[in-house]
Amino acid sequence: MTKLNQLTENIRWSTVRWNGLLVSLGLMLVAITLIATKGFTLGLEFTGGIAHVVHLDIPVGLEEMEAALGSVFDELPNLVPDVTYQTWQLQFPIGGTGELELLQWLSIVSADLDQPLNLISSSVVGAQVGEQLFEQGGLALIVASIAIMIYLTIRFEWRLSLGAIVALLHDVLIVLALFVVFSIEFNLTALAALLAVVGYSLNDSIVIGDRIREFLARKPNQSTALSTDQAIRASLFRTLVTSGTTLVTVSSIGLIAGGTLSGFAFALFAGIIVGTWSSLVIGTAIPERIGLSPEHYKPKSPLLDEAGNPIHA
């Protein structure tokens, strides 16, 4: 911890915060543009469709599976393999496969793969159900964000609260934009991960915000920039250790769970990185830029009567 403090002692955090804030605001504009113009690759839960889970005795690669299905379907289904590449989920849009042709294409694909393609389960999600899930998921994200904003407003002075709220908005937009850029399927597990990212980013912002408040109250004659620098140094070790250990865990989920939780692991991995960045940069730079000062944390002087005695409410 001492070595880390020594390494960061010469870093001009005020310059890093300001430049980082400008970069982050630019990325937010890019993210909004991407989301508005390109849109998401929505999962079966949101669009509606048919999902068939099949199992093979011998693992099959993605290209080989696509080639076998390409001999049957003009438009390939969305393929989600497990970590062994023996169990696959084939996601078709509504009307993509009918009951009469199911056994036919299973037989053709089995012949192309030179091994039996065993059907484990089939499920159907109606378009109306998918639309309701999408609306409810978006509503859950909005309600959670509003509740967090109310909590931050109560906990902190409004300048620190605003910094934390913008940091949360930044994290959500960047993660959503990454889903758009890499055309990763956005499904219910990805939505759950997004809510987890909001909570993770909030925790980081609160830790650093508490440290800033502590230094401002303890050293009222010190500049806000210097107090903020000291607060970042004091919390940096804890932040990096927490983020690092969480990234290891999330990476394990992505590697072991395979395709079924790939969106979940990706959202968490990206969210932890951008959440740590935004807490250190956006959550600290905005309050400083809009006038946060030690004056806001000085104890209020008691009201005095004419004799100079404090008036008790």
Side-chain angles (χ1 to χ4, degrees):
M1 190 171 184
T2 304
K3 290 182 179 180
L4 182 63
N5 287 335
Q6 291 174 351
L7 290 172
T8 60
E9 191 67 34
N10 296 324
I11 296 177
R12 296 182 61 183
W13 285 106
S14 57
T15 303
V16 172
R17 289 197 303 277
W18 176 239
N19 292 334
L21 176 62
L22 293 178
V23 171
S24 296
L25 293 177
L27 288 175
M28 289 174 70
L29 291 175
V30 172
I32 292 172
T33 303
L34 284 171
I35 293 169
T37 56
K38 191 173 180 182
F40 298 104
T41 303
L42 295 176
L44 191 71
E45 300 96 325
F46 297 137
T47 59
I50 302 171
H52 299 297
V53 179
V54 296
H55 182 77
L56 298 134
D57 296 330
I58 303 173
V60 171
L62 179 60
E63 291 184 0
E64 189 178 354
M65 179 64 81
E66 287 179 342
L69 290 170
S71 64
V72 181
F73 301 106
D74 295 331
E75 184 177 346
L76 290 177
N78 185 37
L79 302 175
V80 183
D82 71 347
V83 70
T84 66
Y85 280 79
Q86 287 181 265
T87 301
W88 292 74
Q89 184 181 80
L90 283 59
Q91 300 176 351
F92 296 87
I94 291 292
T97 58
E99 297 233 347
L100 293 177
E101 58 186 57
L102 177 58
L103 294 178
Q104 297 174 7
W105 70 257
L106 281 173
S107 177
I108 296 172
V109 173
S110 296
D112 287 342
L113 294 173
D114 199 23
Q115 62 170 309
L117 192 67
N118 303 306
L119 181 66
I120 296 176
S121 66
S122 296
S123 58
V124 179
V125 178
Q128 186 175 3
V129 174
E131 185 179 348
Q132 290 175 351
L133 286 172
F134 186 76
E135 292 176 354
Q136 291 171 358
L139 182 62
L141 184 60
I142 293 172
V143 170
S145 300
I146 292 174
I148 288 171
M149 290 178 189
I150 294 172
Y151 168 77
L152 288 172
T153 304
I154 295 172
R155 184 180 180 95
F156 292 122
E157 199 269 341
W158 72 268
R159 294 169 180 82
L160 275 176
S161 299
L162 181 62
I165 290 169
V166 175
L168 287 177
L169 181 61
H170 165 272
D171 299 343
V172 172
L173 286 175
I174 297 301
V175 173
L176 289 176
L178 289 174
F179 270 86
V180 173
V181 170
F182 295 106
S183 299
I184 298 173
E185 181 182 291
F186 189 81
N187 50 28
L188 286 178
T189 56
L191 178 61
L194 195 62
L195 291 171
V197 166
V198 170
Y200 187 92
S201 177
L202 172 65
N203 179 65
D204 261 359
S205 297
I206 288 175
V207 169
I208 295 177
D210 274 335
R211 284 301 181 99
I212 293 174
R213 181 173 59 181
E214 175 187 335
F215 277 96
L216 289 175
R218 193 197 309 169
K219 301 179 179 180
N221 297 322
Q222 186 170 267
S223 68
T224 303
L226 184 55
S227 293
T228 303
D229 287 352
Q230 292 174 347
I232 290 176
R233 291 192 185 98
S235 57
L236 188 60
F237 179 79
R238 177 255 177 215
T239 299
L240 293 180
V241 169
T242 303
S243 299
T245 53
T246 311
L247 283 175
V248 171
T249 304
V250 172
S251 300
S252 301
I253 293 174
L255 292 173
I256 296 172
T260 54
L261 288 178
S262 58
F264 180 84
F266 176 83
L268 277 181
F269 190 92
I272 290 168
I273 294 175
V274 298
T276 302
W277 166 261
S278 66
S279 299
L280 292 172
V281 175
I282 300 176
T284 58
I286 288 181
E288 182 183 342
R289 289 287 164 178
I290 58 177
L292 182 68
S293 72
E295 295 290 331
H296 299 117
Y297 291 99
K298 279 187 176 181
K300 294 181 180 179
S301 302
L303 296 175
L304 303 177
D305 58 18
E306 294 181 356
N309 298 316
I311 299 174
H312 300 285

